Short mmCIF file of all heavy atoms in Angstrom, two decimals:
data_model
loop_
_atom_site.label_atom_id
_atom_site.label_comp_id
_atom_site.label_asym_id
_atom_site.label_seq_id
_atom_site.Cartn_x
_atom_site.Cartn_y
_atom_site.Cartn_z
N ASN A 130 0.83 -1.16 0.02
CA ASN A 130 0.00 0.03 -0.02
C ASN A 130 0.84 1.24 -0.03
O ASN A 130 0.57 2.18 -0.67
CB ASN A 130 -0.95 -0.05 1.18
CG ASN A 130 -2.08 0.92 1.09
OD1 ASN A 130 -2.25 1.58 0.07
ND2 ASN A 130 -2.97 0.90 2.01
N ASP A 131 2.00 1.26 0.78
CA ASP A 131 2.85 2.47 0.82
C ASP A 131 3.48 2.67 -0.52
O ASP A 131 3.61 3.79 -0.96
CB ASP A 131 3.91 2.24 1.86
CG ASP A 131 3.38 2.17 3.29
OD1 ASP A 131 2.28 2.86 3.48
OD2 ASP A 131 4.01 1.68 4.24
N ILE A 132 3.88 1.57 -1.18
CA ILE A 132 4.58 1.77 -2.49
C ILE A 132 3.52 2.32 -3.53
O ILE A 132 3.84 3.22 -4.27
CB ILE A 132 5.09 0.39 -2.99
CG1 ILE A 132 6.26 -0.07 -2.10
CG2 ILE A 132 5.54 0.48 -4.51
CD1 ILE A 132 6.77 -1.46 -2.38
N ALA A 133 2.30 1.77 -3.49
CA ALA A 133 1.26 2.31 -4.38
C ALA A 133 1.08 3.78 -4.14
O ALA A 133 0.82 4.56 -5.11
CB ALA A 133 -0.04 1.55 -4.27
N MET A 134 1.04 4.26 -2.92
CA MET A 134 0.77 5.63 -2.60
C MET A 134 1.95 6.55 -3.11
O MET A 134 1.73 7.67 -3.41
CB MET A 134 0.63 5.86 -1.13
CG MET A 134 -0.60 5.06 -0.57
SD MET A 134 -2.11 5.42 -1.44
CE MET A 134 -2.40 7.14 -0.98
N LYS A 135 3.20 6.02 -3.20
CA LYS A 135 4.37 6.81 -3.69
C LYS A 135 4.49 6.74 -5.17
O LYS A 135 5.23 7.64 -5.69
CB LYS A 135 5.55 6.24 -3.05
CG LYS A 135 5.68 6.50 -1.52
CD LYS A 135 6.90 5.87 -0.94
CE LYS A 135 6.90 5.98 0.58
NZ LYS A 135 8.04 5.26 1.23
N SER A 136 3.83 5.88 -5.84
CA SER A 136 4.01 5.67 -7.30
C SER A 136 3.30 6.93 -8.04
O SER A 136 2.31 7.53 -7.53
CB SER A 136 3.42 4.37 -7.83
OG SER A 136 1.99 4.41 -7.73
N LYS A 137 3.76 7.18 -9.21
CA LYS A 137 3.14 8.23 -10.01
C LYS A 137 2.08 7.60 -10.90
O LYS A 137 2.19 6.48 -11.18
CB LYS A 137 4.24 8.89 -10.87
CG LYS A 137 5.19 9.62 -9.99
CD LYS A 137 6.27 10.32 -10.87
CE LYS A 137 7.38 11.02 -9.96
NZ LYS A 137 8.38 11.60 -10.68
N GLY A 138 1.22 8.42 -11.35
CA GLY A 138 0.20 7.92 -12.26
C GLY A 138 -1.06 7.38 -11.56
O GLY A 138 -1.09 7.39 -10.33
N PRO A 139 -2.04 6.98 -12.33
CA PRO A 139 -3.26 6.57 -11.71
C PRO A 139 -3.08 5.23 -10.99
O PRO A 139 -2.28 4.36 -11.37
CB PRO A 139 -4.22 6.41 -12.99
CG PRO A 139 -3.30 6.24 -14.11
CD PRO A 139 -2.04 6.94 -13.74
N ARG A 140 -3.84 5.09 -9.95
CA ARG A 140 -3.85 3.90 -9.19
C ARG A 140 -5.22 3.68 -8.47
O ARG A 140 -5.91 4.63 -8.19
CB ARG A 140 -2.70 3.83 -8.18
CG ARG A 140 -2.81 4.95 -7.09
CD ARG A 140 -1.64 4.98 -6.17
NE ARG A 140 -1.58 6.20 -5.46
CZ ARG A 140 -1.12 7.36 -5.76
NH1 ARG A 140 -0.58 7.46 -6.99
NH2 ARG A 140 -1.15 8.41 -5.01
N LEU A 141 -5.53 2.41 -8.40
CA LEU A 141 -6.75 2.05 -7.64
C LEU A 141 -6.36 0.97 -6.64
O LEU A 141 -5.78 -0.07 -7.01
CB LEU A 141 -7.74 1.59 -8.66
CG LEU A 141 -9.10 1.06 -8.08
CD1 LEU A 141 -9.84 2.20 -7.42
CD2 LEU A 141 -9.95 0.34 -9.09
N ILE A 142 -6.66 1.23 -5.42
CA ILE A 142 -6.40 0.25 -4.36
C ILE A 142 -7.68 -0.36 -3.94
O ILE A 142 -8.63 0.37 -3.53
CB ILE A 142 -5.62 0.92 -3.16
CG1 ILE A 142 -4.26 1.48 -3.64
CG2 ILE A 142 -5.43 -0.03 -2.08
CD1 ILE A 142 -3.64 2.34 -2.64
N ILE A 143 -7.87 -1.68 -4.06
CA ILE A 143 -8.99 -2.34 -3.62
C ILE A 143 -8.73 -3.36 -2.58
O ILE A 143 -7.52 -3.90 -2.55
CB ILE A 143 -9.74 -2.98 -4.83
CG1 ILE A 143 -8.89 -4.08 -5.48
CG2 ILE A 143 -10.23 -1.92 -5.86
CD1 ILE A 143 -9.64 -4.94 -6.46
N ARG A 144 -9.69 -3.74 -1.78
CA ARG A 144 -9.56 -4.81 -0.83
C ARG A 144 -10.43 -5.96 -1.31
O ARG A 144 -11.63 -5.77 -1.35
CB ARG A 144 -9.95 -4.34 0.52
CG ARG A 144 -8.99 -3.24 1.14
CD ARG A 144 -9.35 -3.07 2.60
NE ARG A 144 -9.39 -4.29 3.28
CZ ARG A 144 -8.61 -4.61 4.28
NH1 ARG A 144 -7.77 -3.89 4.71
NH2 ARG A 144 -8.77 -5.80 4.92
N LEU A 145 -9.86 -7.07 -1.63
CA LEU A 145 -10.65 -8.21 -2.06
C LEU A 145 -11.54 -8.74 -1.02
O LEU A 145 -12.55 -9.27 -1.29
CB LEU A 145 -9.63 -9.29 -2.61
CG LEU A 145 -8.89 -8.95 -3.82
CD1 LEU A 145 -7.90 -10.06 -4.18
CD2 LEU A 145 -9.74 -8.62 -4.99
N ASP A 146 -11.23 -8.56 0.23
CA ASP A 146 -12.11 -9.04 1.39
C ASP A 146 -13.25 -8.11 1.57
O ASP A 146 -14.09 -8.46 2.40
CB ASP A 146 -11.25 -9.26 2.61
CG ASP A 146 -10.58 -8.04 3.16
OD1 ASP A 146 -10.57 -7.02 2.45
OD2 ASP A 146 -9.94 -8.14 4.17
N ALA A 147 -13.37 -7.05 0.86
CA ALA A 147 -14.43 -6.03 1.06
C ALA A 147 -15.39 -6.10 -0.16
O ALA A 147 -16.19 -5.14 -0.35
CB ALA A 147 -13.84 -4.65 1.25
N ALA A 148 -15.30 -7.18 -0.93
CA ALA A 148 -16.22 -7.36 -2.05
C ALA A 148 -16.21 -6.13 -2.99
O ALA A 148 -17.25 -5.43 -3.07
CB ALA A 148 -17.62 -7.76 -1.64
N PRO A 149 -15.13 -5.88 -3.65
CA PRO A 149 -15.09 -4.66 -4.55
C PRO A 149 -16.14 -4.72 -5.71
O PRO A 149 -16.47 -5.81 -6.10
CB PRO A 149 -13.64 -4.62 -5.10
CG PRO A 149 -13.18 -6.07 -4.86
CD PRO A 149 -13.94 -6.57 -3.72
N SER A 150 -16.56 -3.56 -6.08
CA SER A 150 -17.58 -3.56 -7.19
C SER A 150 -16.98 -3.80 -8.59
O SER A 150 -15.97 -3.10 -8.92
CB SER A 150 -18.17 -2.11 -7.18
OG SER A 150 -18.80 -1.78 -8.39
N MET A 151 -17.38 -4.78 -9.23
CA MET A 151 -16.96 -4.99 -10.64
C MET A 151 -17.15 -3.75 -11.49
O MET A 151 -16.20 -3.40 -12.25
CB MET A 151 -17.74 -6.16 -11.29
CG MET A 151 -17.38 -7.47 -10.78
SD MET A 151 -15.81 -8.03 -11.31
CE MET A 151 -15.60 -9.44 -10.25
N THR A 152 -18.25 -3.08 -11.36
CA THR A 152 -18.53 -1.91 -12.14
C THR A 152 -17.59 -0.79 -11.83
O THR A 152 -17.06 -0.17 -12.80
CB THR A 152 -20.01 -1.39 -11.87
OG1 THR A 152 -20.94 -2.50 -12.15
CG2 THR A 152 -20.37 -0.23 -12.78
N GLY A 153 -17.24 -0.56 -10.58
CA GLY A 153 -16.41 0.49 -10.24
C GLY A 153 -14.96 0.25 -10.73
O GLY A 153 -14.32 1.10 -11.29
N VAL A 154 -14.49 -1.03 -10.59
CA VAL A 154 -13.11 -1.38 -11.04
C VAL A 154 -13.09 -1.28 -12.56
O VAL A 154 -12.18 -0.72 -13.17
CB VAL A 154 -12.67 -2.80 -10.51
CG1 VAL A 154 -11.33 -3.16 -11.06
CG2 VAL A 154 -12.70 -2.76 -9.04
N ALA A 155 -14.05 -1.86 -13.25
CA ALA A 155 -14.13 -1.85 -14.73
C ALA A 155 -14.21 -0.38 -15.27
O ALA A 155 -13.52 -0.07 -16.22
CB ALA A 155 -15.29 -2.63 -15.25
N ASP A 156 -15.01 0.40 -14.64
CA ASP A 156 -15.12 1.82 -15.09
C ASP A 156 -13.76 2.55 -14.94
O ASP A 156 -13.38 3.30 -15.86
CB ASP A 156 -16.15 2.58 -14.30
CG ASP A 156 -17.58 2.20 -14.69
OD1 ASP A 156 -17.75 1.52 -15.72
OD2 ASP A 156 -18.55 2.63 -13.93
N TRP A 157 -13.07 2.25 -13.89
CA TRP A 157 -11.81 2.88 -13.63
C TRP A 157 -10.79 2.43 -14.72
O TRP A 157 -10.04 3.28 -15.31
CB TRP A 157 -11.24 2.56 -12.27
CG TRP A 157 -9.93 3.13 -11.93
CD1 TRP A 157 -9.66 4.45 -11.55
CD2 TRP A 157 -8.67 2.54 -12.01
NE1 TRP A 157 -8.33 4.66 -11.42
CE2 TRP A 157 -7.63 3.52 -11.68
CE3 TRP A 157 -8.19 1.25 -12.38
CZ2 TRP A 157 -6.31 3.15 -11.70
CZ3 TRP A 157 -6.89 0.91 -12.39
CH2 TRP A 157 -5.93 1.90 -12.00
N ILE A 158 -10.73 1.16 -14.99
CA ILE A 158 -9.86 0.63 -16.01
C ILE A 158 -10.17 1.26 -17.34
O ILE A 158 -9.26 1.69 -18.12
CB ILE A 158 -9.89 -0.90 -16.07
CG1 ILE A 158 -9.27 -1.48 -14.80
CG2 ILE A 158 -9.13 -1.43 -17.34
CD1 ILE A 158 -9.43 -2.96 -14.64
N GLN A 159 -11.49 1.34 -17.71
CA GLN A 159 -11.83 1.86 -19.00
C GLN A 159 -11.59 3.36 -19.08
O GLN A 159 -11.20 3.93 -20.08
CB GLN A 159 -13.27 1.58 -19.33
CG GLN A 159 -13.49 0.08 -19.57
CD GLN A 159 -14.91 -0.32 -19.66
OE1 GLN A 159 -15.81 0.33 -19.07
NE2 GLN A 159 -15.22 -1.36 -20.38
N GLU A 160 -11.71 4.00 -17.96
CA GLU A 160 -11.41 5.47 -17.92
C GLU A 160 -9.95 5.87 -18.11
O GLU A 160 -9.64 6.69 -18.94
CB GLU A 160 -11.79 6.02 -16.51
CG GLU A 160 -11.40 7.46 -16.20
CD GLU A 160 -12.55 8.41 -16.51
OE1 GLU A 160 -13.70 8.04 -16.65
OE2 GLU A 160 -12.22 9.59 -16.54
N ILE A 161 -8.99 5.04 -17.51
CA ILE A 161 -7.60 5.35 -17.70
C ILE A 161 -7.02 4.72 -18.88
O ILE A 161 -6.05 5.17 -19.42
CB ILE A 161 -6.79 4.95 -16.43
CG1 ILE A 161 -6.78 3.45 -16.22
CG2 ILE A 161 -7.24 5.70 -15.15
CD1 ILE A 161 -5.75 3.00 -15.28
N ASN A 162 -7.70 3.73 -19.46
CA ASN A 162 -7.33 3.05 -20.69
C ASN A 162 -5.72 2.77 -20.71
O ASN A 162 -5.08 3.25 -21.56
CB ASN A 162 -7.74 3.90 -21.91
CG ASN A 162 -7.65 3.12 -23.19
OD1 ASN A 162 -7.71 1.89 -23.15
ND2 ASN A 162 -7.49 3.85 -24.20
N PRO A 163 -5.34 1.91 -19.76
CA PRO A 163 -3.86 1.71 -19.69
C PRO A 163 -3.34 0.86 -20.81
O PRO A 163 -4.00 -0.06 -21.33
CB PRO A 163 -3.74 0.98 -18.32
CG PRO A 163 -5.01 0.25 -18.15
CD PRO A 163 -6.04 1.09 -18.83
N GLU A 164 -2.12 1.13 -21.16
CA GLU A 164 -1.44 0.25 -22.11
C GLU A 164 -0.95 -1.06 -21.36
O GLU A 164 -1.07 -2.12 -21.87
CB GLU A 164 -0.21 0.92 -22.69
CG GLU A 164 0.51 0.19 -23.75
CD GLU A 164 1.60 0.98 -24.49
OE1 GLU A 164 1.34 2.14 -24.78
OE2 GLU A 164 2.74 0.50 -24.58
N THR A 165 -0.55 -0.79 -20.14
CA THR A 165 -0.18 -1.91 -19.25
C THR A 165 -0.78 -1.66 -17.89
O THR A 165 -0.85 -0.55 -17.42
CB THR A 165 1.38 -1.91 -19.02
OG1 THR A 165 1.98 -2.03 -20.39
CG2 THR A 165 1.84 -2.99 -18.15
N LEU A 166 -1.33 -2.72 -17.34
CA LEU A 166 -1.94 -2.67 -16.04
C LEU A 166 -1.15 -3.44 -15.03
O LEU A 166 -0.98 -4.72 -15.17
CB LEU A 166 -3.38 -3.19 -16.12
CG LEU A 166 -4.19 -3.10 -14.79
CD1 LEU A 166 -4.44 -1.62 -14.42
CD2 LEU A 166 -5.57 -3.78 -15.05
N ASN A 167 -0.53 -2.76 -14.09
CA ASN A 167 0.27 -3.44 -13.02
C ASN A 167 -0.72 -3.80 -11.85
O ASN A 167 -1.38 -2.95 -11.34
CB ASN A 167 1.32 -2.47 -12.60
CG ASN A 167 2.27 -3.15 -11.56
OD1 ASN A 167 2.47 -4.36 -11.58
ND2 ASN A 167 2.84 -2.36 -10.68
N ILE A 168 -0.59 -5.13 -11.50
CA ILE A 168 -1.37 -5.51 -10.38
C ILE A 168 -0.40 -6.07 -9.31
O ILE A 168 0.40 -6.91 -9.60
CB ILE A 168 -2.36 -6.62 -10.87
CG1 ILE A 168 -3.28 -6.06 -11.93
CG2 ILE A 168 -3.06 -7.23 -9.69
CD1 ILE A 168 -4.14 -7.07 -12.60
N ALA A 169 -0.58 -5.57 -8.12
CA ALA A 169 0.31 -5.97 -7.02
C ALA A 169 -0.50 -6.22 -5.79
O ALA A 169 -1.59 -5.84 -5.66
CB ALA A 169 1.33 -4.90 -6.74
N GLY A 170 0.14 -6.88 -4.86
CA GLY A 170 -0.51 -7.19 -3.58
C GLY A 170 0.44 -7.85 -2.64
O GLY A 170 1.61 -8.08 -2.93
N PRO A 171 -0.12 -8.25 -1.54
CA PRO A 171 0.72 -8.97 -0.54
C PRO A 171 1.14 -10.38 -1.04
O PRO A 171 0.47 -10.96 -1.84
CB PRO A 171 -0.24 -9.06 0.70
CG PRO A 171 -1.58 -8.99 0.15
CD PRO A 171 -1.50 -8.15 -1.07
N ARG A 172 2.21 -10.86 -0.45
CA ARG A 172 2.63 -12.16 -0.76
C ARG A 172 1.77 -13.31 -0.19
O ARG A 172 1.16 -13.06 0.89
CB ARG A 172 4.11 -12.41 -0.22
CG ARG A 172 5.08 -11.55 -0.84
CD ARG A 172 6.48 -11.74 -0.21
NE ARG A 172 7.50 -10.92 -0.75
CZ ARG A 172 8.33 -11.28 -1.67
NH1 ARG A 172 8.26 -12.44 -2.19
NH2 ARG A 172 9.18 -10.45 -2.15
N GLU A 173 1.67 -14.38 -0.85
CA GLU A 173 0.87 -15.45 -0.35
C GLU A 173 1.38 -15.98 0.94
O GLU A 173 0.58 -16.39 1.81
CB GLU A 173 0.97 -16.66 -1.42
CG GLU A 173 0.19 -17.91 -1.05
CD GLU A 173 -1.32 -17.77 -1.18
OE1 GLU A 173 -1.85 -16.88 -1.82
OE2 GLU A 173 -2.02 -18.61 -0.56
N SER A 174 2.66 -15.94 1.14
CA SER A 174 3.19 -16.39 2.39
C SER A 174 2.80 -15.58 3.63
O SER A 174 2.65 -16.08 4.74
CB SER A 174 4.75 -16.42 2.37
OG SER A 174 5.28 -15.15 2.13
N GLY A 175 2.50 -14.30 3.41
CA GLY A 175 2.04 -13.44 4.40
C GLY A 175 0.50 -13.32 4.54
O GLY A 175 0.00 -12.84 5.51
N ARG A 176 -0.12 -13.73 3.48
CA ARG A 176 -1.61 -13.65 3.43
C ARG A 176 -2.10 -14.90 2.73
O ARG A 176 -2.52 -14.82 1.55
CB ARG A 176 -1.98 -12.35 2.67
CG ARG A 176 -3.40 -11.99 2.58
CD ARG A 176 -3.75 -11.10 3.74
NE ARG A 176 -5.10 -10.80 3.65
CZ ARG A 176 -5.78 -9.84 2.98
NH1 ARG A 176 -4.99 -8.99 2.33
NH2 ARG A 176 -7.08 -9.76 2.93
N PRO A 177 -2.13 -15.97 3.40
CA PRO A 177 -2.57 -17.23 2.78
C PRO A 177 -3.95 -17.10 2.17
O PRO A 177 -4.93 -16.50 2.70
CB PRO A 177 -2.69 -18.25 3.94
CG PRO A 177 -1.71 -17.63 4.92
CD PRO A 177 -1.80 -16.19 4.81
N GLY A 178 -3.97 -17.64 0.86
CA GLY A 178 -5.29 -17.57 0.14
C GLY A 178 -5.38 -16.36 -0.74
O GLY A 178 -6.32 -16.34 -1.64
N ILE A 179 -4.55 -15.38 -0.67
CA ILE A 179 -4.64 -14.15 -1.47
C ILE A 179 -4.48 -14.39 -2.96
O ILE A 179 -5.14 -13.81 -3.79
CB ILE A 179 -3.73 -13.02 -0.98
CG1 ILE A 179 -4.09 -11.66 -1.56
CG2 ILE A 179 -2.26 -13.34 -1.27
CD1 ILE A 179 -5.42 -11.12 -1.13
N HIS A 180 -3.59 -15.33 -3.31
CA HIS A 180 -3.39 -15.61 -4.73
C HIS A 180 -4.68 -16.15 -5.39
O HIS A 180 -5.08 -15.60 -6.47
CB HIS A 180 -2.30 -16.66 -4.84
CG HIS A 180 -2.10 -17.09 -6.36
ND1 HIS A 180 -2.82 -18.18 -6.89
CD2 HIS A 180 -1.33 -16.58 -7.38
CE1 HIS A 180 -2.55 -18.30 -8.17
NE2 HIS A 180 -1.61 -17.35 -8.44
N ASP A 181 -5.32 -17.07 -4.78
CA ASP A 181 -6.61 -17.63 -5.31
C ASP A 181 -7.65 -16.54 -5.31
O ASP A 181 -8.43 -16.42 -6.30
CB ASP A 181 -7.05 -18.83 -4.58
CG ASP A 181 -6.21 -20.06 -4.72
OD1 ASP A 181 -5.40 -20.05 -5.68
OD2 ASP A 181 -6.25 -21.01 -3.88
N MET A 182 -7.75 -15.68 -4.30
CA MET A 182 -8.72 -14.62 -4.28
C MET A 182 -8.55 -13.66 -5.42
O MET A 182 -9.44 -13.29 -6.12
CB MET A 182 -8.58 -13.94 -2.89
CG MET A 182 -9.82 -13.99 -2.08
SD MET A 182 -9.57 -13.58 -0.37
CE MET A 182 -9.61 -11.87 -0.30
N ALA A 183 -7.19 -13.24 -5.61
CA ALA A 183 -6.87 -12.32 -6.63
C ALA A 183 -7.14 -12.92 -8.05
O ALA A 183 -7.75 -12.23 -8.91
CB ALA A 183 -5.43 -11.87 -6.49
N TYR A 184 -6.80 -14.17 -8.24
CA TYR A 184 -6.94 -14.79 -9.47
C TYR A 184 -8.42 -14.90 -9.82
O TYR A 184 -8.81 -14.59 -10.96
CB TYR A 184 -6.35 -16.18 -9.46
CG TYR A 184 -6.41 -16.96 -10.79
CD1 TYR A 184 -5.49 -16.67 -11.79
CD2 TYR A 184 -7.44 -17.81 -11.03
CE1 TYR A 184 -5.52 -17.33 -12.97
CE2 TYR A 184 -7.51 -18.46 -12.27
CZ TYR A 184 -6.53 -18.21 -13.22
OH TYR A 184 -6.64 -18.84 -14.49
N GLU A 185 -9.28 -15.24 -8.92
CA GLU A 185 -10.69 -15.42 -9.07
C GLU A 185 -11.27 -14.03 -9.42
O GLU A 185 -12.10 -13.89 -10.32
CB GLU A 185 -11.35 -15.99 -7.89
CG GLU A 185 -12.80 -16.26 -8.06
CD GLU A 185 -13.46 -16.92 -6.87
OE1 GLU A 185 -12.81 -17.67 -6.12
OE2 GLU A 185 -14.64 -16.70 -6.72
N PHE A 186 -10.83 -12.99 -8.69
CA PHE A 186 -11.43 -11.71 -8.94
C PHE A 186 -11.08 -11.23 -10.30
O PHE A 186 -11.96 -10.70 -11.06
CB PHE A 186 -10.94 -10.72 -7.80
CG PHE A 186 -11.43 -9.29 -8.13
CD1 PHE A 186 -12.69 -8.90 -7.87
CD2 PHE A 186 -10.64 -8.37 -8.78
CE1 PHE A 186 -13.13 -7.63 -8.11
CE2 PHE A 186 -11.02 -7.13 -9.05
CZ PHE A 186 -12.32 -6.75 -8.69
N LEU A 187 -9.83 -11.33 -10.71
CA LEU A 187 -9.37 -10.82 -12.01
C LEU A 187 -10.00 -11.71 -13.13
O LEU A 187 -10.36 -11.08 -14.18
CB LEU A 187 -7.84 -10.95 -12.12
CG LEU A 187 -7.12 -9.96 -11.20
CD1 LEU A 187 -5.62 -10.22 -11.23
CD2 LEU A 187 -7.38 -8.54 -11.69
N GLN A 188 -10.21 -12.96 -12.91
CA GLN A 188 -10.90 -13.76 -13.92
C GLN A 188 -12.35 -13.31 -14.08
O GLN A 188 -12.89 -13.15 -15.23
CB GLN A 188 -10.83 -15.25 -13.52
CG GLN A 188 -11.08 -16.22 -14.62
CD GLN A 188 -10.78 -17.64 -14.16
OE1 GLN A 188 -10.94 -18.06 -12.96
NE2 GLN A 188 -10.23 -18.42 -15.01
N ASP A 189 -13.02 -13.06 -12.97
CA ASP A 189 -14.38 -12.61 -13.00
C ASP A 189 -14.47 -11.19 -13.59
O ASP A 189 -15.37 -10.92 -14.42
CB ASP A 189 -14.97 -12.57 -11.58
CG ASP A 189 -15.24 -13.95 -11.06
OD1 ASP A 189 -15.14 -14.99 -11.79
OD2 ASP A 189 -15.49 -14.00 -9.76
N LEU A 190 -13.45 -10.40 -13.28
CA LEU A 190 -13.50 -9.00 -13.82
C LEU A 190 -13.34 -9.03 -15.32
O LEU A 190 -14.06 -8.36 -16.09
CB LEU A 190 -12.35 -8.21 -13.18
CG LEU A 190 -12.16 -6.77 -13.71
CD1 LEU A 190 -13.43 -5.90 -13.41
CD2 LEU A 190 -10.90 -6.13 -13.11
N CYS A 191 -12.46 -9.80 -15.86
CA CYS A 191 -12.22 -9.91 -17.25
C CYS A 191 -13.48 -10.43 -17.99
O CYS A 191 -13.88 -9.88 -19.03
CB CYS A 191 -11.03 -10.80 -17.63
SG CYS A 191 -9.40 -10.03 -17.18
N GLN A 192 -14.09 -11.46 -17.43
CA GLN A 192 -15.34 -11.91 -18.00
C GLN A 192 -16.42 -10.90 -17.96
O GLN A 192 -17.10 -10.74 -18.88
CB GLN A 192 -15.73 -13.19 -17.24
CG GLN A 192 -16.99 -13.84 -17.84
CD GLN A 192 -17.35 -15.15 -17.17
OE1 GLN A 192 -16.76 -15.54 -16.14
NE2 GLN A 192 -18.22 -15.88 -17.71
N TRP A 193 -16.52 -10.22 -16.83
CA TRP A 193 -17.53 -9.14 -16.70
C TRP A 193 -17.36 -8.08 -17.73
O TRP A 193 -18.31 -7.61 -18.39
CB TRP A 193 -17.52 -8.61 -15.30
CG TRP A 193 -18.74 -7.73 -14.97
CD1 TRP A 193 -19.88 -8.15 -14.44
CD2 TRP A 193 -18.85 -6.31 -15.23
NE1 TRP A 193 -20.73 -7.08 -14.35
CE2 TRP A 193 -20.14 -5.95 -14.81
CE3 TRP A 193 -18.02 -5.40 -15.81
CZ2 TRP A 193 -20.58 -4.63 -14.85
CZ3 TRP A 193 -18.50 -4.06 -15.92
CH2 TRP A 193 -19.72 -3.73 -15.37
N MET A 194 -16.05 -7.63 -17.91
CA MET A 194 -15.75 -6.54 -18.78
C MET A 194 -16.05 -6.99 -20.32
O MET A 194 -16.52 -6.18 -21.12
CB MET A 194 -14.28 -6.04 -18.67
CG MET A 194 -14.14 -5.28 -17.40
SD MET A 194 -12.43 -4.75 -17.17
CE MET A 194 -12.35 -3.37 -18.37
N ALA A 195 -15.80 -8.27 -20.63
CA ALA A 195 -16.04 -8.79 -21.92
C ALA A 195 -17.51 -8.79 -22.26
O ALA A 195 -17.96 -8.55 -23.39
CB ALA A 195 -15.42 -10.16 -22.10
N CYS A 196 -18.30 -9.06 -21.25
CA CYS A 196 -19.81 -9.08 -21.39
C CYS A 196 -20.47 -7.80 -21.23
O CYS A 196 -21.64 -7.65 -21.60
CB CYS A 196 -20.40 -10.09 -20.35
SG CYS A 196 -19.90 -11.78 -20.69
N ASN A 197 -19.76 -6.81 -20.68
CA ASN A 197 -20.31 -5.51 -20.46
C ASN A 197 -19.47 -4.32 -20.96
O ASN A 197 -18.96 -3.51 -20.19
CB ASN A 197 -20.56 -5.26 -18.93
CG ASN A 197 -21.52 -6.26 -18.34
OD1 ASN A 197 -22.78 -6.12 -18.55
ND2 ASN A 197 -21.00 -7.31 -17.66
N PRO A 198 -19.28 -4.32 -22.24
CA PRO A 198 -18.38 -3.22 -22.80
C PRO A 198 -18.99 -1.85 -22.53
O PRO A 198 -20.20 -1.74 -22.51
CB PRO A 198 -18.31 -3.51 -24.31
CG PRO A 198 -19.49 -4.43 -24.62
CD PRO A 198 -19.76 -5.10 -23.32
N ASN A 199 -18.11 -0.93 -22.34
CA ASN A 199 -18.57 0.47 -22.10
C ASN A 199 -18.28 1.34 -23.34
O ASN A 199 -17.15 1.69 -23.51
CB ASN A 199 -17.90 1.04 -20.84
CG ASN A 199 -18.49 2.33 -20.43
OD1 ASN A 199 -19.06 3.01 -21.24
ND2 ASN A 199 -18.23 2.77 -19.20
N PRO A 200 -19.27 1.60 -24.09
CA PRO A 200 -19.02 2.38 -25.34
C PRO A 200 -18.58 3.79 -25.07
O PRO A 200 -18.19 4.50 -26.06
CB PRO A 200 -20.39 2.34 -26.10
CG PRO A 200 -21.38 2.14 -25.01
CD PRO A 200 -20.74 1.33 -23.90
N ASP A 201 -18.73 4.37 -23.88
CA ASP A 201 -18.40 5.72 -23.60
C ASP A 201 -16.89 5.94 -23.50
O ASP A 201 -16.40 7.03 -23.48
CB ASP A 201 -18.99 6.16 -22.27
CG ASP A 201 -20.56 6.18 -22.36
OD1 ASP A 201 -21.08 6.31 -23.54
OD2 ASP A 201 -21.25 6.05 -21.34
N HIS A 202 -16.11 4.80 -23.35
CA HIS A 202 -14.72 4.91 -23.19
C HIS A 202 -13.95 4.31 -24.31
O HIS A 202 -14.17 3.41 -24.95
CB HIS A 202 -14.23 4.26 -21.91
CG HIS A 202 -14.81 4.84 -20.69
ND1 HIS A 202 -14.45 6.09 -20.20
CD2 HIS A 202 -15.72 4.45 -19.84
CE1 HIS A 202 -15.12 6.37 -19.08
NE2 HIS A 202 -15.98 5.42 -18.90
#
């Protein structure tokens, strides 16, 4: 979180344990229209289960975005 706060450019910090909104995350991605999207988080060793949680969320997000294109962006 500290590294993300020091980085330049757009960033979105979400908590997977707080049920983030697919719409909100997708809208943000479409708004910034990144060439590359960097995704970071805690290590699995320090947060057991985070890898599977992140993978599932990203898989669901990609599927949601493919099924719900936003023509405004």
Side-chain angles (χ1 to χ4, degrees):
N130 198 0
D131 292 336
I132 293 171
M134 296 308 291
K135 293 176 184 175
S136 70
K137 295 180 182 176
R140 63 186 166 273
L141 177 66
I142 299 172
I143 63 170
R144 292 191 50 119
L145 295 176
D146 57 356
S150 160
M151 288 287 169
T152 304
V154 176
D156 285 350
W157 179 81
I158 291 171
Q159 290 172 334
E160 171 99 13
I161 66 165
N162 192 24
E164 185 173 313
T165 302
L166 183 62
N167 183 28
I168 299 172
R172 294 178 183 264
E173 179 73 17
S174 60
R176 186 92 184 272
I179 193 65
H180 174 271
D181 291 342
M182 240 161 85
Y184 184 84
E185 183 179 334
F186 177 78
L187 291 170
Q188 198 170 38
D189 291 348
L190 178 65
C191 289
Q192 183 176 10
W193 191 92
M194 289 180 74
C196 293
N197 297 286
N199 187 340
D201 296 336
H202 297 289

